[in-house]
Amino acid sequence: MVKRWNTAKKVAEKAWEMGRSDPRKVVFSAKMGLALTLMSFLIYLKEPFKDMISYSVWAILTVVVVFEFSIGATLSKGFNRGLGTLSAAGLSLGIAELSKLAGDWQRLMIVVNIFTVGLCATYAKIYPTLKTYEYGFRVFLITYCFITVSGYRTGEFLDTAINRFLLIALGAAVSLGVNICIYPIWAGEDLHNLVTKNFIGVATSLEGVVNHYLQCVEYKKVPSKILTYQAADDPVYNGYRSAVESTSKEDSLMGFAVWEPPHGRYNKFRYPWKNYVKLSGALRHCAFMVMAMHGCILSEIQAPAEKRLVFRSEVQRVGIEGARVLRELGSKVKKMEKLGPGDLLFEVHVAAEELQRKIDKKSYLLVNSESWEIGNRARDDEETHPQQGLFHTDEERKFLECKSLSEAVLDLRTLQVPPSWEGNPAIDASPNMFRKELSWPDQIYQKSKPVPKEGQESKTYQSATSLSLTTFTSLLIEFVARLQNLVDSFEELGETANFSDPLDQPPPL
Amino acid sequence: MVKRWNTAKKVAEKAWEMGRSDPRKVVFSAKMGLALTLMSFLIYLKEPFKDMISYSVWAILTVVVVFEFSIGATLSKGFNRGLGTLSAAGLSLGIAELSKLAGDWQRLMIVVNIFTVGLCATYAKIYPTLKTYEYGFRVFLITYCFITVSGYRTGEFLDTAINRFLLIALGAAVSLGVNICIYPIWAGEDLHNLVTKNFIGVATSLEGVVNHYLQCVEYKKVPSKILTYQAADDPVYNGYRSAVESTSKEDSLMGFAVWEPPHGRYNKFRYPWKNYVKLSGALRHCAFMVMAMHGCILSEIQAPAEKRLVFRSEVQRVGIEGARVLRELGSKVKKMEKLGPGDLLFEVHVAAEELQRKIDKKSYLLVNSESWEIGNRARDDEETHPQQGLFHTDEERKFLECKSLSEAVLDLRTLQVPPSWEGNPAIDASPNMFRKELSWPDQIYQKSKPVPKEGQESKTYQSATSLSLTTFTSLLIEFVARLQNLVDSFEELGETANFSDPLDQPPPL
């Protein structure tokens, strides 16, 4: 009993929270109640209209079915319903007149007709290009069958059709009136906000991925939800996932938004909602790179922490600048403003170029020169600079301070080496050995003592771990390259949607 | 006139093609026609049941609304409809009795009740966890309002409710009977096939991506549809895109499949459809890597063809083995068979390991040693092997033969360097210069003559192009690593769904 009470309390709390976070939902429900109430006033009708009540079901049906959350959806459903009803009424009246001529065969003809119409309408309904009118076909079928069947009984095909149509029109009028006149909810507005939200989400993910990578955050165990691409609680993952997953939501919102008349800030006939979806697609194209970068964190092959530190400031700067560009574009979309004069991408391009230079200079850190066929670079070098080894600057020496961190972090799971590999003589690196090697970075890089022969395979892994850093930086640079396409899409949207020019605004006095 | 005729012919051809490629659609349409025809036999009813025809609309409505493509969808809608009607009927009868007590206030009480019920039911409808019962709430509202309103007129609340319920039950029975007994179409079967198709799609994409990469296929201009993640004609792109995009389709199919009783090969109560979706999610996790590899082909930064040639056989082998694993898993899912004894991943792991070794040995090809702070490796090397330069084996020398190809392929678009960069003194590489450098690979690598000072920036790009090859191979190796997770998901599915064991089958005589 207490348990039930608690469950009920929890549900009520959640429902309250839903209403608080999006009051439009409460308003929508109240509007629906109001529309139904208006319909129920039919019961106050006096003679000679009292008979209308027997048709009241059509008005109620129309309200319940047509009344949707957004205006676009309501209009599109209303249009479908209207068209379906009218064409079905026309067809059924025509066929009814014909069937009267058939005399004794009238009933058989009606039955055969219903089969034919049912088959054709259903087949058309699942025809791909007509799929948006699916609801219209349903209404068509209902109306056609109803008029034919009930008209046969009463013989008053026309009366049935007209009464039905009048009440459907009444229901549709009430739905539209209540939905548009009282606190309208626009699908276009929702689409606009969704696109803005996606920008913020990807920016957050990018920052998260870059920071986690530099802080060597590693998943103890990758959540199986991420491995099977389900929704999870991880904010870094959620940011890009929701942007990637919003395709179908955007498409349906766009489908409704095109039905909406010009309103508020979207005061243009044939508003280019398509471009919002396109912009979001371009953002998705960038988000895939963030996703791939996140893949580097999820991966079992992890770059050593001390190497990441070498590129720290450059990678961080690209991450910060990239996220800034995304946030800036997101806020421009939100404010419906064109880009300012300067080049939005200038900073991020400079940062990426700097990262590229740094990689260029230090690319010896990204590879394992010991096994080169052409001779060992590292050893040559040590002969010329015996005190320094490979590490010249203070920055690079930081890796020594970070050693304890790397021991904690580079905890390679045993998943790495599947049992069946052990049978293969060429590959006998056990995960333990691999781990040991990784926690002694000085031994590997500075070669202060000879490495035992059995370490050969683990060096192959070792090289893979360094290449993982290359992958991360390359993906980051590719992400920056894709920003250009995003900006182009944004500018196209700005042009077609007549975004305001920030320069046109009156200068502050 | 002729034009219209042609359009009509085209539509008819397409409709015919649709029916030919998926005959179930024709069957479904015919079944729908049949169900409606059965309903229309109501008109043959004689007295005393003739009055039933006036309620026939409910039966027709039920058939049109409940009759869905798959059995799962029909059952779930039928259940929603039944539950919605019953609960609404109960509530409205109760309130009708109460409102009779109200005397003069009866009508007002009805109106107020309709508002309250409309508001609550609508609010519950958009409550997230109840969203699957959305249709049930609609039916509830329609029934509640109808019984209340029309019952008020006739005063026969109970009669209205019972007649309505009888005809809805009749409609539902006919729908279910026709749908299940004649050529049943199962949502579970569809889900199963969709998952199988995704495996084939990703495998095709993987092969395509690897082959295109090795053949240095480059997009003259990346289709804007790919840049904005819309459906495009590119088969390589389509393979992984449809696997990534099928999330919502899978979810809805799963929602229907759980309603379906055990049937055919899915002869287990509470069949684990969830695991199919999970397996598909794990496949998606792999597909993201294929997507990122495709990103390397779409990228503006392209690895030189001659370097790709060096790793050709290893990369190709990993690609072939990876695709083989995917196809094998796909066919196992299709045949509902468990994995055989040996390790499915053995070959692909060996291939990946070999690629890793090769990278390890030749990683000097992946970096640009000229700008290393610690001294120039390449030049040292040339002193010791003056005739050979960096290229020792026949395989590596192939790059000279591929020169003309590389000139055709490495056509860098001007998009690469945005105009604003020209103002930055540090970055003054013009795209033309970059292109010139790239088409002289021997000059760059073998250093037969001194490189002019102005080439410095283009070498930064040069280094980026080589790192792009690293990225591709790393992503490929990460793809292989993710296969383990895919196999695990498959095995979980095989266990829970009682897949047959290939060893259990009788040996051939």
Side-chain angles (χ1 to χ4, degrees):
Chain A
M1 187 62 200
V2 175
K3 211 173 151 193
R4 265 198 207 159
W5 172 246
N6 279 340
T7 315
K9 227 172 85 178
K10 231 180 237 170
V11 168
E13 266 169 20
K14 260 195 179 169
W16 176 259
E17 182 52 38
M18 180 173 92
R20 224 180 43 81
S21 66
D22 191 357
R24 299 181 311 163
K25 288 186 176 167
V26 182
V27 173
F28 167 65
S29 306
K31 275 159 70 181
M32 179 74 158
L34 180 64
L36 285 174
T37 310
L38 288 178
M39 283 292 95
S40 70
F41 282 139
L42 282 176
I43 58 175
Y44 283 103
L45 281 179
K46 295 264 179 317
E47 299 286 355
F49 298 108
K50 219 176 170 184
D51 268 2
M52 288 288 265
I53 302 187
S54 61
Y55 294 103
S56 65
V57 60
W58 296 112
I60 292 170
L61 207 76
T62 306
V63 170
V64 171
V65 166
V66 164
F67 207 94
E68 291 278 341
F69 193 66
S70 70
I71 302 218
T74 305
L75 284 173
S76 118
K77 275 213 160 177
F79 171 81
N80 264 306
R81 182 154 190 101
L83 197 73
T85 306
L86 276 181
S87 55
L91 187 67
S92 63
L93 288 180
I95 288 189
E97 286 306 312
L98 277 180
S99 68
K100 270 183 191 162
L101 301 176
D104 286 351
W105 297 95
Q106 190 185 359
R107 286 198 287 205
L108 183 67
M109 203 171 150
I110 289 178
V111 169
V112 170
N113 269 324
I114 284 186
F115 179 77
T116 320
V117 171
L119 192 150
C120 294
T122 309
Y123 197 66
K125 190 175 80 176
I126 50 182
Y127 186 77
T129 47
L130 294 177
K131 224 159 200 171
T132 38
Y133 302 105
E134 205 253 359
Y135 179 68
F137 280 107
R138 272 185 209 264
V139 172
F140 174 86
L141 267 185
I142 295 177
T143 310
Y144 180 83
C145 295
F146 177 67
I147 293 184
T148 314
V149 169
S150 87
Y152 169 77
R153 183 185 66 119
T154 55
E156 295 160 350
F157 288 96
L158 201 63
D159 247 33
T160 311
I162 289 179
N163 275 323
R164 185 172 140 75
F165 184 72
L166 279 181
L167 275 149
I168 286 184
L170 179 70
V174 169
S175 296
L176 288 183
V178 171
N179 213 352
I180 295 182
C181 299
I182 303 172
Y183 194 94
I185 297 165
W186 304 97
E189 186 86 38
D190 272 3
L191 177 59
H192 186 178
N193 291 335
L194 180 63
V195 173
T196 314
K197 213 188 88 208
N198 284 348
F199 271 95
I200 308 294
V202 177
T204 311
S205 273
L206 176 66
E207 286 170 344
V209 163
V210 168
N211 285 336
H212 282 192
Y213 195 76
L214 293 176
Q215 289 157 19
C216 304
V217 170
E218 201 178 345
Y219 290 82
K220 281 276 165 257
K221 186 179 177 327
V222 179
S224 71
K225 287 203 170 172
I226 293 186
L227 290 179
T228 53
Y229 193 56
Q230 294 171 294
D233 286 337
D234 192 328
V236 171
Y237 170 71
N238 264 354
Y240 66 78
R241 185 181 188 272
S242 64
V244 169
E245 276 299 277
S246 68
T247 345
S248 56
K249 209 172 160 192
E250 279 166 26
D251 283 344
S252 73
L253 281 178
M254 186 182 77
F256 297 143
V258 293
W259 283 92
E260 292 175 350
H263 59 277
R265 301 191 289 167
Y266 317 98
N267 49 7
K268 198 185 161 189
F269 194 61
R270 292 188 161 278
Y271 195 80
W273 295 113
K274 217 177 155 52
N275 283 88
Y276 278 93
V277 175
K278 229 173 132 184
L279 177 66
S280 196
L283 175 66
R284 219 163 279 134
H285 197 60
C286 295
F288 290 137
M289 281 298 118
V290 178
M291 183 188 255
M293 283 190 262
H294 194 214
C296 291
I297 296 181
L298 300 176
S299 170
E300 283 143 27
I301 299 164
Q302 289 285 329
E306 61 278 7
K307 291 196 176 179
R308 299 185 197 191
L309 270 187
V310 175
F311 299 96
R312 186 192 179 95
S313 64
E314 286 78 12
V315 167
Q316 187 115 56
R317 193 170 153 215
V318 175
I320 290 172
E321 289 298 332
R324 198 187 51 80
V325 168
L326 289 180
R327 282 183 206 281
E328 175 77 13
L329 280 177
S331 98
K332 287 277 179 195
V333 171
K334 198 182 176 97
K335 287 189 284 182
M336 303 180 74
E337 229 177 59
K338 282 186 187 162
L339 288 178
D343 182 10
L344 180 64
L345 295 179
F346 180 74
E347 293 289 337
V348 72
H349 277 166
V350 170
E353 179 73 8
E354 219 161 80
L355 172 61
Q356 185 62 65
R357 260 163 219 285
K358 179 81 168 245
I359 292 171
D360 207 31
K361 275 196 208 147
K362 314 250 182 204
S363 53
Y364 53 87
L365 287 177
L366 303 176
V367 289
N368 186 15
S369 58
E370 284 148 38
S371 43
W372 286 1
E373 300 165 332
I374 54 170
N376 191 317
R377 145 96 245 129
R379 224 168 289 145
D380 295 358
D381 188 60
E382 250 177 310
E383 278 156 27
T384 30
H385 316 271
Q387 295 84 16
Q388 287 180 305
L390 280 176
F391 300 91
H392 296 245
T393 64
D394 275 356
E395 194 178 26
E396 287 163 38
R397 269 196 214 100
K398 274 189 198 150
F399 83 92
L400 289 169
E401 299 156 25
C402 147
K403 216 181 102 180
S404 62
L405 178 67
S406 92
E407 267 171 344
V409 159
L410 291 161
D411 174 23
L412 282 138
R413 279 140 288 164
T414 47
L415 206 81
Q416 176 80 21
V417 179
S420 60
W421 283 30
E422 278 161 20
N424 183 9
I427 312 152
D428 55 8
S430 79
N432 265 347
M433 191 174 65
F434 181 15
R435 189 174 177 179
K436 207 176 72 190
E437 291 276 348
L438 277 176
S439 56
W440 290 340
D442 43 355
Q443 196 192 42
I444 289 182
Y445 297 113
Q446 301 213 3
K447 295 275 156 246
S448 54
K449 45 183 174 173
V451 168
K453 182 80 192 98
E454 69 208 291
Q456 190 189 330
E457 275 74 33
S458 62
K459 262 182 276 158
T460 304
Y461 280 107
Q462 180 62 49
S463 148
T465 61
S466 304
L467 289 178
S468 151
L469 180 57
T470 316
T471 308
F472 188 83
T473 51
S474 296
L475 292 172
L476 190 56
I477 288 170
E478 174 65 19
F479 169 81
V480 173
R482 289 187 175 185
L483 284 178
Q484 184 63 54
N485 172 45
L486 184 64
V487 170
D488 291 346
S489 290
F490 175 79
E491 276 172 351
E492 194 186 332
L493 171 65
E495 278 311 315
T496 48
N498 279 338
F499 276 11
S500 69
D501 198 323
L503 293 182
D504 285 354
Q505 276 150 25
L509 293 173
Chain B
M1 186 64 200
V2 175
K3 211 172 148 194
R4 264 196 207 161
W5 172 247
N6 281 339
T7 315
K9 228 173 83 178
K10 228 179 242 167
V11 168
E13 266 169 21
K14 260 196 181 166
W16 177 259
E17 183 52 39
M18 179 174 93
R20 224 180 45 80
S21 66
D22 191 357
R24 300 181 309 165
K25 289 186 177 168
V26 184
V27 172
F28 166 65
S29 306
K31 275 158 72 181
M32 178 74 156
L34 180 65
L36 285 174
T37 310
L38 288 178
M39 283 291 95
S40 71
F41 281 139
L42 280 177
I43 59 176
Y44 283 102
L45 282 178
K46 297 262 180 315
E47 299 286 356
F49 299 107
K50 220 177 170 184
D51 269 2
M52 286 289 265
I53 303 187
S54 61
Y55 295 103
S56 65
V57 59
W58 296 112
I60 293 171
L61 208 77
T62 306
V63 171
V64 172
V65 165
V66 163
F67 207 94
E68 292 279 341
F69 193 67
S70 69
I71 301 210
T74 306
L75 284 174
S76 115
K77 275 212 158 177
F79 171 79
N80 265 306
R81 185 158 187 96
L83 197 72
T85 307
L86 278 181
S87 55
L91 186 65
S92 61
L93 288 180
I95 289 190
E97 286 306 312
L98 276 181
S99 67
K100 271 184 191 161
L101 301 178
D104 286 351
W105 298 96
Q106 190 185 359
R107 286 197 288 204
L108 184 66
M109 199 169 154
I110 289 178
V111 168
V112 170
N113 268 324
I114 284 186
F115 179 79
T116 320
V117 171
L119 193 151
C120 295
T122 309
Y123 196 67
K125 189 174 81 175
I126 50 182
Y127 186 76
T129 47
L130 293 177
K131 222 159 202 173
T132 38
Y133 302 105
E134 206 254 0
Y135 179 68
F137 279 107
R138 272 186 208 265
V139 172
F140 174 86
L141 266 185
I142 295 176
T143 310
Y144 179 81
C145 295
F146 177 68
I147 293 183
T148 314
V149 169
S150 85
Y152 169 76
R153 184 185 67 120
T154 56
E156 294 159 351
F157 288 96
L158 201 63
D159 247 32
T160 312
I162 289 179
N163 275 323
R164 184 172 141 76
F165 183 73
L166 279 180
L167 276 149
I168 287 183
L170 179 69
V174 168
S175 297
L176 288 183
V178 171
N179 214 352
I180 295 182
C181 300
I182 304 173
Y183 195 96
I185 297 166
W186 304 98
E189 186 87 38
D190 272 3
L191 177 60
H192 186 179
N193 290 335
L194 180 63
V195 173
T196 314
K197 214 188 89 212
N198 284 348
F199 271 96
I200 309 292
V202 177
T204 311
S205 273
L206 176 66
E207 285 169 345
V209 164
V210 167
N211 286 335
H212 282 192
Y213 194 77
L214 293 176
Q215 290 158 19
C216 303
V217 171
E218 200 178 346
Y219 289 83
K220 281 276 165 258
K221 187 180 176 323
V222 179
S224 70
K225 287 201 169 173
I226 293 186
L227 289 178
T228 53
Y229 194 56
Q230 293 172 294
D233 285 337
D234 193 328
V236 170
Y237 170 71
N238 263 354
Y240 66 78
R241 186 182 186 274
S242 63
V244 170
E245 275 302 274
S246 67
T247 345
S248 57
K249 209 171 160 192
E250 279 166 26
D251 283 344
S252 73
L253 281 178
M254 186 181 79
F256 297 143
V258 292
W259 282 92
E260 292 175 350
H263 58 277
R265 300 191 289 167
Y266 317 99
N267 49 7
K268 196 184 161 188
F269 195 62
R270 294 190 160 276
Y271 196 79
W273 296 113
K274 216 174 157 54
N275 283 88
Y276 278 92
V277 175
K278 227 173 135 185
L279 177 66
S280 197
L283 175 65
R284 218 162 281 134
H285 197 61
C286 295
F288 290 137
M289 280 298 119
V290 178
M291 182 187 253
M293 283 190 261
H294 194 215
C296 290
I297 296 181
L298 301 176
S299 171
E300 283 143 27
I301 299 164
Q302 290 285 330
E306 61 279 5
K307 290 196 176 178
R308 300 187 196 189
L309 271 185
V310 175
F311 299 97
R312 186 191 179 95
S313 64
E314 285 78 12
V315 167
Q316 188 115 55
R317 194 171 154 216
V318 176
I320 290 172
E321 290 299 332
R324 196 185 56 76
V325 168
L326 289 181
R327 282 184 204 282
E328 176 77 14
L329 281 177
S331 97
K332 288 277 179 195
V333 172
K334 199 183 176 96
K335 288 189 283 183
M336 304 180 74
E337 231 176 58
K338 281 185 187 163
L339 289 176
D343 183 10
L344 180 65
L345 295 178
F346 181 73
E347 293 289 337
V348 72
H349 277 166
V350 169
E353 179 72 8
E354 221 161 79
L355 173 61
Q356 186 61 66
R357 260 164 219 286
K358 179 81 167 242
I359 293 171
D360 207 30
K361 275 193 207 150
K362 313 252 183 203
S363 54
Y364 53 88
L365 287 176
L366 303 176
V367 289
N368 187 15
S369 58
E370 284 149 38
S371 44
W372 285 1
E373 301 166 330
I374 54 169
N376 190 317
R377 145 98 243 130
R379 222 170 286 145
D380 296 357
D381 187 60
E382 251 177 310
E383 280 157 25
T384 29
H385 317 270
Q387 295 86 16
Q388 287 181 304
L390 281 177
F391 300 92
H392 297 244
T393 65
D394 277 357
E395 192 179 30
E396 287 163 38
R397 270 197 213 98
K398 273 190 200 152
F399 83 92
L400 289 169
E401 299 155 26
C402 149
K403 215 182 101 180
S404 61
L405 178 69
S406 93
E407 267 170 347
V409 159
L410 291 162
D411 173 25
L412 281 139
R413 280 139 288 164
T414 47
L415 205 81
Q416 176 78 24
V417 178
S420 61
W421 281 31
E422 278 159 22
N424 184 8
I427 312 152
D428 55 7
S430 78
N432 265 347
M433 191 175 65
F434 181 14
R435 188 175 178 178
K436 208 177 69 190
E437 291 275 349
L438 277 177
S439 57
W440 291 340
D442 43 354
Q443 197 193 41
I444 289 181
Y445 298 114
Q446 300 213 1
K447 295 277 156 244
S448 55
K449 43 183 174 172
V451 169
K453 181 78 191 101
E454 69 208 290
Q456 189 191 331
E457 275 75 32
S458 61
K459 262 180 278 159
T460 304
Y461 279 108
Q462 180 63 48
S463 147
T465 62
S466 305
L467 289 179
S468 151
L469 181 58
T470 317
T471 308
F472 188 84
T473 49
S474 296
L475 292 172
L476 190 57
I477 289 169
E478 174 65 18
F479 169 81
V480 173
R482 289 188 176 185
L483 284 177
Q484 184 63 54
N485 171 44
L486 185 64
V487 170
D488 291 345
S489 291
F490 175 80
E491 276 173 351
E492 193 186 334
L493 171 66
E495 278 311 314
T496 49
N498 278 339
F499 277 11
S500 69
D501 199 322
L503 293 182
D504 285 354
Q505 276 148 27
L509 293 173

